Amino acid sequence: MNDIIHDYLLKHIPKSTPFFEELEVYAKEHEVPIMEPDSLHCLLQILDIQKPERILELGTAIGYSALKMADKLPKTEIITVERDEERYKEALHNIERYGASDRIKVLLTDAIEGSEEILTYGPFDAIFIDAAKAQYEKFFHIYTDSLAPDGVIYSDNVLFKGLALDMSPEKQRKLRVARKMRHFNDFLVTHPDFDTTTIPLGDGLSISKRKKTGGIS
């Protein structure tokens, strides 16, 4: 996106409250990856339109995006998964401070190895994938069946700082994750059961919805 347009859009995103500003500063100082403000704002707007009753988030980190979703959707239950124990504890702390423990459940487990437990909390109206980038396609395969009929899968970081678009042999040999992400994007757009669009905000946000069946012939 043109830098002038990007800067213009960023200036029109509402300013964070002191609580979320604190989390943003913490994430920056401790190099904790959180969603870019423009893609997060877009995700929250779409979720507000969708009004999901239950969301599955793969990749809690410090609880920032889960809390943002809870703030936007006060009637929504969020199941979020984190495999790093230190970040898990930090997320629990932040969620308790915010008073959202009754609506956000954090599971300390791996999204692949712990999938059997995670799936017991389904079905989910929305699934937000923001965990190990090289495993996105596996996540999609594992959790598709737990998606409600009109549910939506959101995947963050699909452009991977633009590296997923660079297919030069030098870059692809060095950047296995970028190659995996490019394959995931191809997988999404050619999936026989889902329609996917990618929004070039932040680090790239893809939106996948199950195709409608039947209709007038």
Side-chain angles (χ1 to χ4, degrees):
M1 182 184 296
N2 182 289
D3 287 342
I4 296 175
I5 297 174
H6 187 223
D7 290 343
Y8 175 83
L9 293 175
L10 286 176
K11 289 177 182 177
H12 285 75
I13 294 175
K15 184 177 174 60
S16 294
T17 62
F19 175 82
F20 286 111
E21 278 190 344
E22 179 187 328
L23 294 189
E24 290 158 10
V25 170
Y26 179 93
K28 185 175 182 179
E29 290 179 348
H30 293 81
E31 298 183 341
V32 178
I34 60 175
M35 279 192 83
E36 298 287 341
D38 48 356
S39 53
L40 175 59
H41 184 63
C42 177
L43 172 65
L44 294 176
Q45 290 289 88
I46 296 172
L47 286 173
D48 194 30
I49 295 169
Q50 185 193 353
K51 294 289 191 298
E53 293 184 8
R54 183 177 298 164
I55 297 173
L56 171 65
E57 176 188 50
L58 304 180
T60 312
I62 59 173
Y64 177 74
S65 53
L67 283 164
K68 278 284 191 176
M69 290 188 285
D71 180 67
K72 188 72 172 180
L73 304 162
K75 296 182 179 180
T76 298
E77 177 187 6
I78 300 166
I79 309 298
T80 181
V81 180
E82 178 56 51
R83 66 180 182 180
D84 183 276
E85 188 169 0
E86 184 176 343
R87 289 183 178 175
Y88 164 80
K89 290 178 179 178
E90 187 67 30
L92 287 179
H93 174 66
N94 291 328
I95 291 166
E96 184 176 350
R97 286 173 57 213
Y98 195 74
S101 299
D102 60 330
R103 295 190 293 118
I104 303 176
K105 182 173 183 60
V106 190
L107 302 177
L108 177 60
T109 187
D110 182 273
I112 294 176
E113 296 175 3
S115 60
E116 185 174 345
E117 175 193 1
I118 298 166
L119 287 168
T120 63
Y121 291 93
F124 306 102
D125 304 293
I127 298 175
F128 177 44
I129 302 177
D130 192 21
K133 306 299 175 281
Q135 305 299 331
Y136 272 31
E137 190 170 333
K138 285 186 180 179
F139 296 149
F140 201 96
H141 283 300
I142 291 171
Y143 293 102
T144 295
D145 287 344
S146 68
L147 187 68
D150 290 324
V152 182
I153 299 178
Y154 304 90
S155 307
D156 193 28
N157 304 118
V158 295
L159 299 181
F160 199 57
K161 307 298 182 186
L163 297 175
L165 313 180
D166 190 340
M167 287 302 289
S168 63
E170 297 80 10
K171 284 286 180 69
Q172 292 302 305
R173 277 197 298 270
K174 296 178 181 178
L175 300 170
R176 172 178 168 271
V177 176
R179 185 170 64 253
K180 282 267 191 177
M181 191 57 70
R182 184 180 179 91
H183 288 167
F184 176 68
N185 290 333
D186 292 340
F187 161 80
L188 288 181
V189 298
T190 58
H191 199 292
D193 300 323
F194 284 84
D195 285 319
T196 295
T197 187
T198 297
I199 300 175
L201 293 174
D203 201 18
L205 177 69
S206 72
I207 303 170
S208 305
K209 195 172 190 304
R210 192 174 278 111
K211 293 179 179 179
K212 297 291 186 183
T213 58
I216 300 174
S217 57

